[in-house]
Amino acid sequence: MAGMGSTTSAAGGTRPLYRQIKLLIVQDLQAGVWKPGEMIPSEWDLADRFGVSQGTVRKAIGELAAQHLLQRRQGKGTFVATHAEQATRYRFLRLAADDGSQRDLTRRLLQCQRLRADPDVARPLGLRSGDAVVFVRRLLLADSRPVVLDDIWLPARLFGDLTAERLAAYEGSMYAMFESAFGVRMIRAEEKIRALAAPAEAAALLGVAAGAPLLSVERRSLTYRERPVELRRGLYRTDAHHYRNELL
Amino acid sequence: MAGMGSTTSAAGGTRPLYRQIKLLIVQDLQAGVWKPGEMIPSEWDLADRFGVSQGTVRKAIGELAAQHLLQRRQGKGTFVATHAEQATRYRFLRLAADDGSQRDLTRRLLQCQRLRADPDVARPLGLRSGDAVVFVRRLLLADSRPVVLDDIWLPARLFGDLTAERLAAYEGSMYAMFESAFGVRMIRAEEKIRALAAPAEAAALLGVAAGAPLLSVERRSLTYRERPVELRRGLYRTDAHHYRNELL
DNA sequence: AAGTGGTCTAGACCACCTG
DNA sequence: AGGTGGTCTAGACCACTTA
């Protein structure tokens, strides 16, 4: 019997069925029913559970894969997306060397401490000013030369246990650590980019003259349900690198 | 009879059917069989022509719509995407006012002339140095204050007839003019972003001190089949605006 | 061989728009 | 009322991976 209509399922309003399925899957992802890197049930399995056809589950999963919440692997299964992979490790790093070289960046941790959030930090994070945050300052170096100075603020409610030691010990990307050590998976981010004259302190750390032009990249990272989980203010040297972007 | 397999159609190798359909549609788009803004045949119509099911055509169109080559409108039909629309007019303009205001930008044309391409211009455009190009310099103003200085190079082979008069006369966006007046539809673009100290000439035009930090945005625009059709070097004042980006 | 995602079909019905 | 895109189903078969 084809064409049962779109409001057959119990919960949900007039949304198409596959949208409702999508929501149910996202809820399970958010609840941690399946952890990053793990395989989720097969399309047929989910179809049985939800009482819909395989095609409907497939469409829901398709959209979630397009949003990078899930990852499909033919013949293997569908997996919860993770930052702990060589392949997707640079999805959020838009810095590229002008000469096209792919050299890895080195991290140097400068600070890691608990602070009270200024209004300028609290607002983008959805906190109240004075709320506890973890502040991290670090340098990224290419070929031993400093390229990026990052200031990072994280809500202490989520990242209270973060210490310099744990940060220094971790091998993979920061976002990989967030998801494996704190259960916080970064989904997408918004950035505001400006050019500014290097303040004295930043200039010294980056090895440029005070007042030299730097790229200012302010990033707000969001997890499931658009919840902000990170504020990052980066200063980029762009004398041998650039920020690459694609307009689609 | 279901499941005819994926290599039933005459042309094409082992690609899935819907990919082959996609190619056929792109070929027609590129050939100008349907012009920007026009409606293409219905899914059922195309399915009949290509000898496949409606679902297969639908999947092909779905991917083309995701790439912004086509636009679907429920109840109306599927249309060739166009830059001549209020809705998609700012798809490639990433500049936003810091205070969130949506004020329109004013254009002021400064130059429009034919030149021989320097190597730095020729290479990204896929030309040989010395080839003829049309050079355009213009200013974008917000609230009568200059914000962007754009230098634009276009292959004369495609845009030979472009003059200051025609540019000044045109109402819509530049890309809308390209597609309606020259039959060149811009599909996607790559940008390289840097911070630099304002050169004297640019500083004067933008109303900032020489040496003030500016955002440098180099854009390479491509049409069908990844063919480069525009090189644009913009200098942005970011004291009251910023370049917004989303990381997905 | 068995399990998984990927493709394709055929048919039904819904939602939206136009005349 | 008729056309168009949008959703849903049921079933078949293909392609890839693992055992």
Side-chain angles (χ1 to χ4, degrees):
Chain A
M1 251 138 250
M4 308 170 49
S6 49
T7 51
T8 310
S9 172
T14 180
R15 276 190 292 274
L17 247 185
Y18 75 89
R19 293 272 180 190
Q20 302 177 39
I21 303 299
K22 213 178 138 182
L23 271 182
L24 292 174
I25 296 176
V26 169
Q27 280 171 16
D28 283 350
L29 286 172
Q30 188 177 12
V33 173
W34 315 296
K35 304 250 175 288
E38 286 180 7
M39 182 177 158
I40 73 169
S42 76
E43 294 176 354
W44 285 102
D45 187 338
L46 290 172
D48 284 349
R49 294 195 202 190
F50 296 136
V52 301
S53 75
Q54 177 257 2
T56 299
V57 168
R58 181 164 180 76
K59 179 147 190 177
I61 290 180
E63 291 199 354
L64 292 171
Q67 296 174 243
H68 302 113
L69 296 200
L70 295 176
Q71 186 188 25
R72 292 175 141 148
R73 294 181 210 154
Q74 189 174 25
K76 294 184 172 177
T78 301
F79 298 78
V80 181
T82 172
H83 292 283
E85 279 187 34
Q86 204 61 13
T88 63
R89 192 172 157 184
Y90 295 111
R91 210 173 95 210
F92 295 101
L93 181 60
R94 309 301 277 256
L95 196 72
D98 287 342
D99 62 14
S101 65
Q102 272 301 137
R103 213 172 269 105
D104 257 9
L105 294 176
T106 312
R107 293 191 292 257
R108 180 179 302 164
L109 184 61
L110 302 180
Q111 282 183 60
C112 178
Q113 56 187 279
R114 287 177 72 107
L115 295 175
R116 304 256 151 225
D118 286 336
D120 278 2
V121 167
R123 194 175 323 109
L125 283 175
L127 303 175
R128 279 170 307 210
S129 72
D131 282 355
V133 292
V134 178
F135 171 74
V136 176
R137 169 170 281 190
R138 68 160 187 188
L139 219 43
L140 295 181
L141 304 98
D143 228 1
S144 308
R145 275 195 289 271
V147 180
V148 176
L149 173 64
D150 269 331
D151 283 350
I152 303 171
W153 291 266
L154 306 162
R157 175 192 301 272
L158 298 171
F159 296 93
D161 299 337
L162 185 60
T163 61
E165 290 69 37
R166 295 182 70 181
L167 255 180
Y170 201 83
E171 288 293 324
S173 80
M174 225 167 154
Y175 293 129
M177 178 186 182
F178 289 175
E179 75 184 23
S180 69
F182 298 95
V184 177
R185 169 156 170 80
M186 202 272 252
I187 302 294
R188 67 176 197 90
E190 304 163 347
E191 293 191 332
K192 294 180 182 178
I193 305 174
R194 298 180 178 85
L196 51 72
E201 190 186 15
L205 291 167
L206 284 168
V208 298
L214 294 177
L215 208 61
S216 157
V217 180
E218 176 172 321
R219 176 187 299 179
R220 190 164 154 268
S221 307
L222 311 168
T223 184
Y224 297 106
R225 310 276 171 149
E226 300 292 284
R227 207 157 52 105
V229 291
E230 179 200 45
L231 178 66
R232 188 181 284 214
R233 292 196 178 125
L235 293 177
Y236 294 22
R237 282 184 63 165
T238 55
D239 41 347
H241 295 77
H242 61 269
Y243 182 106
R244 67 185 157 74
N245 199 21
E246 188 173 12
L247 307 183
L248 297 175
Chain B
M1 252 138 255
M4 306 171 49
S6 49
T7 51
T8 310
S9 173
T14 181
R15 275 189 293 276
L17 249 186
Y18 75 89
R19 293 272 180 189
Q20 302 177 38
I21 304 298
K22 214 179 137 182
L23 272 183
L24 292 174
I25 295 176
V26 169
Q27 280 172 16
D28 283 350
L29 285 172
Q30 188 177 10
V33 173
W34 315 295
K35 304 248 174 288
E38 287 180 7
M39 182 177 158
I40 74 170
S42 76
E43 294 175 355
W44 284 103
D45 187 338
L46 290 172
D48 283 349
R49 294 195 202 190
F50 296 136
V52 301
S53 76
Q54 177 258 2
T56 298
V57 168
R58 181 165 180 76
K59 179 147 190 177
I61 290 180
E63 291 198 354
L64 292 171
Q67 296 175 242
H68 303 112
L69 296 199
L70 295 176
Q71 188 189 24
R72 291 176 142 148
R73 293 181 211 154
Q74 189 174 21
K76 293 183 173 178
T78 301
F79 299 78
V80 181
T82 172
H83 292 282
E85 278 187 37
Q86 203 62 15
T88 62
R89 194 173 155 184
Y90 294 111
R91 192 151 69 87
F92 296 100
L93 181 60
R94 309 301 277 257
L95 197 72
D98 288 341
D99 61 13
S101 64
Q102 272 302 135
R103 214 172 269 104
D104 258 9
L105 294 176
T106 312
R107 293 190 293 258
R108 181 180 301 163
L109 184 60
L110 301 180
Q111 282 183 61
C112 179
Q113 56 187 278
R114 287 177 72 108
L115 296 175
R116 303 258 150 224
D118 286 337
D120 278 2
V121 167
R123 193 175 325 109
L125 283 175
L127 302 176
R128 280 170 306 211
S129 72
D131 282 355
V133 292
V134 178
F135 171 74
V136 175
R137 169 170 281 189
R138 67 160 187 188
L139 219 43
L140 295 181
L141 304 98
D143 229 2
S144 307
R145 276 194 289 270
V147 180
V148 176
L149 173 63
D150 269 330
D151 283 351
I152 303 170
W153 291 266
L154 305 161
R157 175 192 300 273
L158 297 171
F159 297 93
D161 298 338
L162 185 61
T163 61
E165 290 69 36
R166 293 182 71 181
L167 256 180
Y170 201 83
E171 289 293 325
S173 79
M174 228 169 152
Y175 293 128
M177 178 187 182
F178 289 176
E179 74 184 23
S180 69
F182 297 95
V184 177
R185 169 152 172 82
M186 202 271 252
I187 301 295
R188 68 176 197 90
E190 304 162 348
E191 293 192 331
K192 294 181 182 177
I193 305 175
R194 297 180 179 85
L196 50 71
E201 190 186 15
L205 291 167
L206 284 168
V208 299
L214 294 177
L215 207 62
S216 157
V217 180
E218 176 172 322
R219 175 187 299 179
R220 190 164 155 268
S221 307
L222 311 169
T223 184
Y224 297 105
R225 311 275 172 150
E226 302 291 283
R227 206 156 54 105
V229 291
E230 179 200 45
L231 177 66
R232 187 182 286 214
R233 292 197 178 126
L235 292 176
Y236 294 21
R237 281 184 63 165
T238 55
D239 42 345
H241 296 77
H242 60 270
Y243 181 105
R244 65 184 158 75
N245 199 21
E246 188 174 13
L247 308 184
L248 296 176

